[in-house]
Amino acid sequence: DTWPTVEVTIAVNKIGNLDLADNSFEVDFWVYLDWVDTNLVKGEHYTYHAEVGSFELAKCHREHVCDDRRFFNPCIQVENIKNTGEDLLQHADEMPIVMDEVSRNGDE
């Protein structure tokens, strides 16, 4: 088994409080991770929810009760940060979001 290739996009919303003496600054940003996980099987790991027009993970995965944890779910770690007491990953998704289907041989 190998890890999938991950596309990383960083969207910087705001940079402020630049302190040259302290070598510090504050930044508000989003990190988006996109990858193709060919281990996910439609009907077993996810389904298409026609009412909302999007894919969703199977209920057992959303509720963390499945033993099947074969799918890829990377975590983000931010290093060299000041401890502000804030939950820096408060908007992070605990589980992957299925955005589109790709066949196992790579064709859409």
Side-chain angles (χ1 to χ4, degrees), residues 2-58:
T2 61
W3 297 111
T5 300
V6 177
E7 178 183 311
V8 179
T9 303
I10 300 173
V12 176
N13 300 316
K14 183 173 96 174
I15 298 176
N17 294 333
L18 180 64
D19 185 338
L20 296 176
D22 194 31
N23 281 333
S24 65
F25 62 93
E26 292 179 6
V27 62
D28 177 26
F29 64 95
W30 289 93
V31 177
Y32 300 93
L33 305 176
D34 292 304
W35 66 93
V36 174
D37 189 342
T38 57
N39 289 322
L40 295 179
V41 177
K42 186 175 184 177
E44 181 179 339
H45 297 103
Y46 69 95
T47 58
Y48 184 76
H49 193 289
E51 289 181 14
V52 295
S54 64
F55 294 96
E56 64 180 25
L57 284 176

Side-chain angles (χ1 to χ4, degrees), residues 4 11 13 19 32 34 38 50 67-68 72 80 83 86 97-98 100:
N13 300 316
D19 185 338
Y32 300 93
D34 292 304
T38 57
D67 290 333
D68 183 4
F72 182 67
N80 198 21
N83 184 1
E86 282 185 72
I97 298 172
V98 178
D100 200 0

